[in-house]
Amino acid sequence: MEFNTKKTFSVGFYNVENLFDTKDNPKTNDDQFTNNGSRRWSKKRYLKKIKKLSHVISQLGKESTNDVPVFVGLVEIENSKVLKDLVHHKNLKKYDYKFAHYDSKDERGIDVALIYRKDFFEYISSKTYTPSFIEEDGYVDYTRDILVVKGKINNEEIHVIINHWPSRSEGEKETRPKRIEAAKKVQEAIKDIKNDNKEPKIIIMGDFNDDPISESIKEHLVTEDFYNPMESLFSKGLGSLTYKGKWNLFDQIIISKNFFNTNSQHSFIKAAIFNKKWLQTYKGKYKGSPYRTYVGPWYKGGYSDHFPVYACFERDE
């Protein structure tokens, strides 16, 4: 198969906020997002969300590259059906996105995935790593998988690691050890990658439920081989979501430093938060924050409670 080449391209990440279909999965806790569930999740609402999310992805990084992303990491997706509906929507269909996805052991049934343009990203393989935590009562708590995808862009091998780390719902301090454990699981994946490739190009992306300056990121994930461009954005007061009026930058794209090497085939240009006005709540106490699908139990009909993020790269001649 012939693969197209690109001079500049973007990659993205998006927490799409509970992209569930309307059917009940008896194996998971998805009852809220069914026709008769507490959220009154209907086919009409589902299709509206698919339309909105596909539009966002079609615009992600476009002003920098004049094209849609080569690949996008996604979290909070329920299954392969919602991925198919997303990439087959008319907003994205012509780009022929494929996807890598595995069902995780998360109790709510939400997973991580990578959608990629098969004409620009030559998919090679993928695998998952599953963080697990033993609670005080001996119960084993599973969270979302860490997805590792290996492929090629412009004939250069690139590894993508997609994350959705444990939330802060029980308190930041109380849940911090779980995110540190997740970081260690990513390091395990990186070690495995390096067993096959001494100088791999790696892009780590995800909703880490921690900021760039948090212990899990700063001390356990971004080792001397990596660069986190999101830290400078966060230092300027920028974020991808709000909580109690405060901005957090949980959604991050982190790159291996060898993207800066003089002999690298691809150079990093920039990273950004995609926070266009039309993605924001336009009035009220949440003005300026991401325009959400739900606020608590109340349906608002927006996009997501997170802004997406993206990074741009350039192919060196």
Side-chain angles (χ1 to χ4, degrees):
M1 178 180 176
E2 285 292 316
F3 287 89
N4 292 320
T5 59
K6 293 179 75 66
K7 175 65 175 167
T8 61
F9 64 90
S10 67
V11 304
F13 173 79
Y14 200 7
N15 179 329
V16 293
E17 188 198 357
N18 295 320
L19 183 54
F20 285 86
D21 62 23
T22 58
K23 294 179 180 177
D24 178 39
N25 182 342
K27 295 181 180 179
T28 63
N29 184 17
D30 69 344
D31 296 4
Q32 281 186 322
F33 289 92
T34 56
N35 284 303
N36 299 318
S38 60
R39 298 292 175 93
R40 294 288 183 261
W41 190 234
S42 63
K43 185 176 181 181
K44 182 179 178 180
R45 290 180 176 185
Y46 170 69
L47 293 177
K48 181 178 180 181
K49 187 171 175 81
I50 289 287
K51 179 182 179 180
K52 283 180 171 288
L53 294 175
S54 60
H55 174 66
V56 176
I57 292 168
S58 76
Q59 300 302 307
L60 191 55
K62 201 167 191 176
E63 63 185 21
S64 299
T65 65
N66 203 32
D67 203 356
V68 298
V70 167
F71 58 75
V72 182
L74 300 172
V75 302
E76 291 203 14
I77 55 106
E78 186 182 15
N79 50 37
S80 59
K81 181 198 181 303
V82 302
L83 284 167
K84 286 175 186 171
D85 290 344
L86 183 66
V87 300
H88 289 156
H89 189 276
K90 64 181 181 181
N91 288 331
L92 293 177
K93 190 172 177 62
K94 67 180 179 181
Y95 303 110
D96 201 16
Y97 278 102
K98 304 301 179 189
F99 58 83
H101 162 258
Y102 298 82
D103 288 316
S104 74
K105 293 182 179 180
D106 178 77
E107 62 187 15
R108 290 183 59 223
I110 55 171
D111 305 329
V112 306
L114 183 79
I115 63 171
Y116 60 90
R117 294 176 64 182
K118 69 172 189 177
D119 53 344
F120 290 113
F121 182 79
E122 181 184 352
Y123 173 89
I124 297 172
S125 63
S126 60
K127 64 186 294 189
T128 59
Y129 293 76
T130 305
S132 59
F133 317 98
I134 300 175
E135 305 286 5
E136 289 180 5
D137 58 3
Y139 173 77
V140 180
D141 180 27
Y142 293 100
T143 188
R144 283 77 57 167
D145 288 336
I146 294 164
L147 174 63
V148 181
V149 181
K150 176 182 176 181
K152 288 183 179 181
I153 298 176
N154 297 323
N155 211 35
E156 180 171 59
E157 188 175 289
I158 291 177
H159 302 261
V160 191
I161 305 177
I162 301 153
N163 301 262
H164 187 191
W165 288 4
S167 79
R168 297 180 169 195
S169 58
E170 295 164 23
E172 186 278 322
K173 189 175 180 181
E174 291 79 1
T175 55
R176 191 183 303 166
K178 289 186 175 182
R179 290 185 293 281
I180 291 172
E181 279 302 310
K184 291 177 180 177
K185 188 63 77 169
V186 175
Q187 292 298 344
E188 181 185 321
I190 292 168
K191 185 178 178 182
D192 289 346
I193 290 169
K194 288 184 175 181
N195 284 338
D196 296 326
N197 184 339
K198 290 285 190 287
E199 285 289 327
K201 293 280 174 58
I202 299 174
I203 300 173
I204 306 171
M205 55 174 61
D207 172 1
F208 298 98
N209 275 298
D210 267 338
D211 292 312
I213 59 171
S214 299
E215 180 184 352
S216 64
I217 303 288
K218 191 91 170 168
E219 297 181 27
H220 297 277
L221 184 64
V222 184
T223 58
E224 60 185 14
D225 295 335
F226 287 88
Y227 168 68
N228 189 357
M230 317 308 283
E231 189 171 346
S232 63
L233 297 177
F234 185 64
S235 70
K236 296 172 185 173
L238 299 173
S240 56
L241 71 157
T242 56
Y243 180 66
K244 293 184 176 177
K246 176 179 174 288
W247 282 101
N248 290 105
L249 186 43
F250 292 170
D251 305 275
Q252 301 171 53
I253 297 176
I254 298 160
I255 63 170
S256 53
K257 284 183 178 175
N258 53 11
F259 277 104
F260 296 104
N261 291 355
T262 53
N263 63 348
S264 173
Q265 189 173 328
H266 295 107
S267 297
F268 170 76
I269 301 173
K270 70 169 187 176
I273 303 162
F274 193 68
N275 55 2
K276 297 296 183 186
K277 283 283 186 188
W278 49 268
L279 272 173
Q280 300 175 18
T281 303
Y282 66 93
K283 65 179 182 179
K285 70 174 182 176
Y286 298 109
K287 184 179 179 180
S289 64
Y291 179 26
R292 307 169 58 148
T293 308
Y294 283 89
V295 175
W298 295 283
Y299 178 71
K300 298 297 180 181
Y303 299 84
S304 170
D305 54 353
H306 291 242
F307 291 136
V309 294
Y310 67 95
C312 297
F313 297 83
E314 185 173 45
R315 177 170 55 88
D316 297 325
E317 299 294 347

mmCIF file of all heavy atoms in Angstrom, residues 132-159:
data_model
loop_
_atom_site.group_PDB
_atom_site.id
_atom_site.type_symbol
_atom_site.label_atom_id
_atom_site.label_comp_id
_atom_site.label_asym_id
_atom_site.label_seq_id
_atom_site.Cartn_x
_atom_site.Cartn_y
_atom_site.Cartn_z
ATOM 1 N N SER A 132 -3.910 -1.837 38.015
ATOM 2 C CA SER A 132 -4.869 -2.362 38.997
ATOM 3 C C SER A 132 -4.386 -1.995 40.391
ATOM 4 O O SER A 132 -3.182 -1.849 40.633
ATOM 5 C CB SER A 132 -5.022 -3.880 38.864
ATOM 6 O OG SER A 132 -3.781 -4.529 39.065
ATOM 7 N N PHE A 133 -5.340 -1.850 41.296
ATOM 8 C CA PHE A 133 -5.027 -1.370 42.634
ATOM 9 C C PHE A 133 -5.761 -2.231 43.648
ATOM 10 O O PHE A 133 -6.954 -2.495 43.490
ATOM 11 C CB PHE A 133 -5.456 0.097 42.786
ATOM 12 C CG PHE A 133 -5.110 0.937 41.598
ATOM 13 C CD1 PHE A 133 -6.063 1.208 40.618
ATOM 14 C CD2 PHE A 133 -3.837 1.437 41.427
ATOM 15 C CE1 PHE A 133 -5.754 1.968 39.508
ATOM 16 C CE2 PHE A 133 -3.508 2.188 40.318
ATOM 17 C CZ PHE A 133 -4.461 2.454 39.360
ATOM 18 N N ILE A 134 -5.061 -2.646 44.695
ATOM 19 C CA ILE A 134 -5.682 -3.461 45.741
ATOM 20 C C ILE A 134 -6.171 -2.523 46.841
ATOM 21 O O ILE A 134 -5.388 -1.788 47.451
ATOM 22 C CB ILE A 134 -4.694 -4.503 46.300
ATOM 23 C CG1 ILE A 134 -4.237 -5.437 45.173
ATOM 24 C CG2 ILE A 134 -5.343 -5.294 47.431
ATOM 25 C CD1 ILE A 134 -3.178 -6.434 45.586
ATOM 26 N N GLU A 135 -7.491 -2.531 47.069
ATOM 27 C CA GLU A 135 -8.079 -1.673 48.087
ATOM 28 C C GLU A 135 -7.828 -2.258 49.479
ATOM 29 O O GLU A 135 -7.362 -3.403 49.624
ATOM 30 C CB GLU A 135 -9.593 -1.539 47.843
ATOM 31 C CG GLU A 135 -9.958 -1.044 46.451
ATOM 32 C CD GLU A 135 -9.682 0.445 46.263
ATOM 33 O OE1 GLU A 135 -9.118 1.082 47.187
ATOM 34 O OE2 GLU A 135 -10.040 0.980 45.201
ATOM 35 N N GLU A 136 -8.155 -1.475 50.516
ATOM 36 C CA GLU A 136 -7.915 -1.910 51.898
ATOM 37 C C GLU A 136 -8.652 -3.194 52.247
ATOM 38 O O GLU A 136 -8.184 -3.995 53.052
ATOM 39 C CB GLU A 136 -8.325 -0.794 52.874
ATOM 40 C CG GLU A 136 -7.378 0.400 52.844
ATOM 41 C CD GLU A 136 -7.806 1.479 53.829
ATOM 42 O OE1 GLU A 136 -8.775 1.252 54.581
ATOM 43 O OE2 GLU A 136 -7.161 2.548 53.846
ATOM 44 N N ASP A 137 -9.831 -3.391 51.618
ATOM 45 C CA ASP A 137 -10.605 -4.604 51.912
ATOM 46 C C ASP A 137 -10.176 -5.795 51.055
ATOM 47 O O ASP A 137 -10.815 -6.856 51.083
ATOM 48 C CB ASP A 137 -12.101 -4.334 51.706
ATOM 49 C CG ASP A 137 -12.436 -3.872 50.288
ATOM 50 O OD1 ASP A 137 -11.513 -3.821 49.444
ATOM 51 O OD2 ASP A 137 -13.613 -3.571 50.026
ATOM 52 N N GLY A 138 -9.106 -5.620 50.272
ATOM 53 C CA GLY A 138 -8.598 -6.700 49.435
ATOM 54 C C GLY A 138 -9.193 -6.735 48.039
ATOM 55 O O GLY A 138 -8.764 -7.528 47.197
ATOM 56 N N TYR A 139 -10.172 -5.881 47.788
ATOM 57 C CA TYR A 139 -10.814 -5.814 46.466
ATOM 58 C C TYR A 139 -9.846 -5.242 45.432
ATOM 59 O O TYR A 139 -9.150 -4.262 45.696
ATOM 60 C CB TYR A 139 -12.071 -4.951 46.567
ATOM 61 C CG TYR A 139 -12.750 -4.656 45.253
ATOM 62 C CD1 TYR A 139 -13.539 -5.625 44.628
ATOM 63 C CD2 TYR A 139 -12.603 -3.420 44.634
ATOM 64 C CE1 TYR A 139 -14.173 -5.358 43.423
ATOM 65 C CE2 TYR A 139 -13.237 -3.135 43.431
ATOM 66 C CZ TYR A 139 -14.015 -4.117 42.831
ATOM 67 O OH TYR A 139 -14.634 -3.855 41.631
ATOM 68 N N VAL A 140 -9.790 -5.869 44.259
ATOM 69 C CA VAL A 140 -8.919 -5.381 43.193
ATOM 70 C C VAL A 140 -9.705 -4.404 42.327
ATOM 71 O O VAL A 140 -10.737 -4.758 41.749
ATOM 72 C CB VAL A 140 -8.372 -6.531 42.327
ATOM 73 C CG1 VAL A 140 -7.463 -5.975 41.216
ATOM 74 C CG2 VAL A 140 -7.590 -7.524 43.184
ATOM 75 N N ASP A 141 -9.237 -3.172 42.268
ATOM 76 C CA ASP A 141 -9.901 -2.113 41.504
ATOM 77 C C ASP A 141 -9.160 -1.923 40.189
ATOM 78 O O ASP A 141 -7.958 -1.648 40.180
ATOM 79 C CB ASP A 141 -9.899 -0.811 42.319
ATOM 80 C CG ASP A 141 -10.580 0.329 41.578
ATOM 81 O OD1 ASP A 141 -11.453 0.046 40.740
ATOM 82 O OD2 ASP A 141 -10.225 1.498 41.841
ATOM 83 N N TYR A 142 -9.881 -2.068 39.084
ATOM 84 C CA TYR A 142 -9.287 -1.868 37.764
ATOM 85 C C TYR A 142 -9.704 -0.501 37.223
ATOM 86 O O TYR A 142 -10.804 -0.026 37.483
ATOM 87 C CB TYR A 142 -9.743 -2.952 36.788
ATOM 88 C CG TYR A 142 -9.245 -4.327 37.120
ATOM 89 C CD1 TYR A 142 -10.067 -5.242 37.777
ATOM 90 C CD2 TYR A 142 -7.950 -4.728 36.792
ATOM 91 C CE1 TYR A 142 -9.624 -6.517 38.091
ATOM 92 C CE2 TYR A 142 -7.491 -6.003 37.101
ATOM 93 C CZ TYR A 142 -8.327 -6.895 37.747
ATOM 94 O OH TYR A 142 -7.880 -8.142 38.056
ATOM 95 N N THR A 143 -8.817 0.106 36.475
ATOM 96 C CA THR A 143 -9.159 1.360 35.818
ATOM 97 C C THR A 143 -9.006 1.181 34.313
ATOM 98 O O THR A 143 -8.817 0.063 33.820
ATOM 99 C CB THR A 143 -8.281 2.508 36.347
ATOM 100 O OG1 THR A 143 -8.762 3.738 35.822
ATOM 101 C CG2 THR A 143 -6.816 2.323 35.978
ATOM 102 N N ARG A 144 -9.091 2.292 33.580
ATOM 103 C CA ARG A 144 -8.990 2.192 32.127
ATOM 104 C C ARG A 144 -7.615 1.686 31.705
ATOM 105 O O ARG A 144 -6.603 1.987 32.338
ATOM 106 C CB ARG A 144 -9.229 3.567 31.497
ATOM 107 C CG ARG A 144 -10.660 3.992 31.438
ATOM 108 C CD ARG A 144 -11.240 4.492 32.734
ATOM 109 N NE ARG A 144 -10.533 5.612 33.325
ATOM 110 C CZ ARG A 144 -10.994 6.361 34.308
ATOM 111 N NH1 ARG A 144 -12.189 6.100 34.837
ATOM 112 N NH2 ARG A 144 -10.292 7.358 34.825
ATOM 113 N N ASP A 145 -7.595 0.938 30.607
ATOM 114 C CA ASP A 145 -6.327 0.448 30.072
ATOM 115 C C ASP A 145 -5.441 1.598 29.608
ATOM 116 O O ASP A 145 -5.914 2.692 29.281
ATOM 117 C CB ASP A 145 -6.571 -0.464 28.859
ATOM 118 C CG ASP A 145 -7.146 -1.811 29.240
ATOM 119 O OD1 ASP A 145 -6.958 -2.238 30.391
ATOM 120 O OD2 ASP A 145 -7.792 -2.437 28.370
ATOM 121 N N ILE A 146 -4.154 1.312 29.550
ATOM 122 C CA ILE A 146 -3.198 2.162 28.838
ATOM 123 C C ILE A 146 -2.991 1.506 27.482
ATOM 124 O O ILE A 146 -2.622 0.331 27.402
ATOM 125 C CB ILE A 146 -1.877 2.271 29.620
ATOM 126 C CG1 ILE A 146 -2.114 3.017 30.945
ATOM 127 C CG2 ILE A 146 -0.806 2.973 28.783
ATOM 128 C CD1 ILE A 146 -1.002 2.852 31.947
ATOM 129 N N LEU A 147 -3.282 2.223 26.424
ATOM 130 C CA LEU A 147 -3.197 1.683 25.066
ATOM 131 C C LEU A 147 -1.904 2.131 24.398
ATOM 132 O O LEU A 147 -1.610 3.326 24.370
ATOM 133 C CB LEU A 147 -4.409 2.153 24.252
ATOM 134 C CG LEU A 147 -4.430 1.802 22.751
ATOM 135 C CD1 LEU A 147 -4.458 0.294 22.531
ATOM 136 C CD2 LEU A 147 -5.631 2.471 22.070
ATOM 137 N N VAL A 148 -1.155 1.174 23.874
ATOM 138 C CA VAL A 148 0.090 1.468 23.172
ATOM 139 C C VAL A 148 -0.068 1.055 21.712
ATOM 140 O O VAL A 148 -0.369 -0.111 21.421
ATOM 141 C CB VAL A 148 1.284 0.725 23.806
ATOM 142 C CG1 VAL A 148 2.583 1.068 23.071
ATOM 143 C CG2 VAL A 148 1.412 1.064 25.285
ATOM 144 N N VAL A 149 0.114 2.001 20.810
ATOM 145 C CA VAL A 149 -0.036 1.744 19.376
ATOM 146 C C VAL A 149 1.275 2.059 18.672
ATOM 147 O O VAL A 149 1.853 3.128 18.869
ATOM 148 C CB VAL A 149 -1.178 2.581 18.760
ATOM 149 C CG1 VAL A 149 -1.316 2.275 17.266
ATOM 150 C CG2 VAL A 149 -2.501 2.310 19.477
ATOM 151 N N LYS A 150 1.708 1.123 17.867
ATOM 152 C CA LYS A 150 2.949 1.282 17.092
ATOM 153 C C LYS A 150 2.591 1.457 15.621
ATOM 154 O O LYS A 150 1.756 0.722 15.080
ATOM 155 C CB LYS A 150 3.811 0.033 17.274
ATOM 156 C CG LYS A 150 5.089 -0.019 16.457
ATOM 157 C CD LYS A 150 5.788 -1.343 16.736
ATOM 158 C CE LYS A 150 7.028 -1.542 15.907
ATOM 159 N NZ LYS A 150 7.668 -2.863 16.182
ATOM 160 N N GLY A 151 3.191 2.447 14.996
ATOM 161 C CA GLY A 151 2.920 2.686 13.585
ATOM 162 C C GLY A 151 4.017 3.514 12.947
ATOM 163 O O GLY A 151 5.048 3.789 13.580
ATOM 164 N N LYS A 152 3.795 3.924 11.719
ATOM 165 C CA LYS A 152 4.771 4.748 11.007
ATOM 166 C C LYS A 152 4.086 5.952 10.377
ATOM 167 O O LYS A 152 2.978 5.841 9.840
ATOM 168 C CB LYS A 152 5.478 3.946 9.911
ATOM 169 C CG LYS A 152 6.471 2.910 10.428
ATOM 170 C CD LYS A 152 7.171 2.213 9.267
ATOM 171 C CE LYS A 152 8.191 1.201 9.772
ATOM 172 N NZ LYS A 152 8.890 0.528 8.649
ATOM 173 N N ILE A 153 4.761 7.093 10.454
ATOM 174 C CA ILE A 153 4.360 8.288 9.719
ATOM 175 C C ILE A 153 5.548 8.688 8.852
ATOM 176 O O ILE A 153 6.673 8.790 9.356
ATOM 177 C CB ILE A 153 3.981 9.443 10.667
ATOM 178 C CG1 ILE A 153 2.779 9.061 11.530
ATOM 179 C CG2 ILE A 153 3.671 10.717 9.871
ATOM 180 C CD1 ILE A 153 2.393 10.108 12.551
ATOM 181 N N ASN A 154 5.300 8.904 7.565
ATOM 182 C CA ASN A 154 6.402 9.214 6.641
ATOM 183 C C ASN A 154 7.539 8.199 6.787
ATOM 184 O O ASN A 154 8.720 8.541 6.751
ATOM 185 C CB ASN A 154 6.920 10.633 6.872
ATOM 186 C CG ASN A 154 5.862 11.681 6.592
ATOM 187 O OD1 ASN A 154 5.067 11.542 5.669
ATOM 188 N ND2 ASN A 154 5.822 12.735 7.408
ATOM 189 N N ASN A 155 7.162 6.952 7.012
ATOM 190 C CA ASN A 155 8.088 5.825 7.124
ATOM 191 C C ASN A 155 8.958 5.851 8.380
ATOM 192 O O ASN A 155 9.929 5.103 8.480
ATOM 193 C CB ASN A 155 8.981 5.727 5.874
ATOM 194 C CG ASN A 155 9.364 4.282 5.578
ATOM 195 O OD1 ASN A 155 8.573 3.354 5.802
ATOM 196 N ND2 ASN A 155 10.586 4.069 5.110
ATOM 197 N N GLU A 156 8.621 6.717 9.343
ATOM 198 C CA GLU A 156 9.349 6.721 10.617
ATOM 199 C C GLU A 156 8.476 6.096 11.696
ATOM 200 O O GLU A 156 7.311 6.460 11.858
ATOM 201 C CB GLU A 156 9.747 8.136 11.026
ATOM 202 C CG GLU A 156 10.492 8.159 12.350
ATOM 203 C CD GLU A 156 11.082 9.522 12.675
ATOM 204 O OE1 GLU A 156 10.307 10.494 12.753
ATOM 205 O OE2 GLU A 156 12.312 9.619 12.846
ATOM 206 N N GLU A 157 9.055 5.175 12.456
ATOM 207 C CA GLU A 157 8.312 4.469 13.497
ATOM 208 C C GLU A 157 7.990 5.406 14.666
ATOM 209 O O GLU A 157 8.864 6.114 15.164
ATOM 210 C CB GLU A 157 9.142 3.281 13.993
ATOM 211 C CG GLU A 157 8.402 2.356 14.953
ATOM 212 C CD GLU A 157 9.234 1.134 15.298
ATOM 213 O OE1 GLU A 157 9.406 0.268 14.409
ATOM 214 O OE2 GLU A 157 9.727 1.068 16.439
ATOM 215 N N ILE A 158 6.733 5.408 15.072
ATOM 216 C CA ILE A 158 6.271 6.231 16.192
ATOM 217 C C ILE A 158 5.374 5.382 17.092
ATOM 218 O O ILE A 158 4.542 4.606 16.612
ATOM 219 C CB ILE A 158 5.511 7.476 15.687
ATOM 220 C CG1 ILE A 158 6.495 8.438 15.000
ATOM 221 C CG2 ILE A 158 4.780 8.186 16.816
ATOM 222 C CD1 ILE A 158 5.862 9.663 14.391
ATOM 223 N N HIS A 159 5.567 5.528 18.384
ATOM 224 C CA HIS A 159 4.758 4.812 19.374
ATOM 225 C C HIS A 159 3.868 5.825 20.093
ATOM 226 O O HIS A 159 4.344 6.858 20.564
ATOM 227 C CB HIS A 159 5.655 4.104 20.390
ATOM 228 C CG HIS A 159 6.608 3.124 19.776
ATOM 229 N ND1 HIS A 159 6.378 1.772 19.739
ATOM 230 C CD2 HIS A 159 7.790 3.325 19.142
ATOM 231 C CE1 HIS A 159 7.393 1.165 19.120
ATOM 232 N NE2 HIS A 159 8.251 2.096 18.750
#
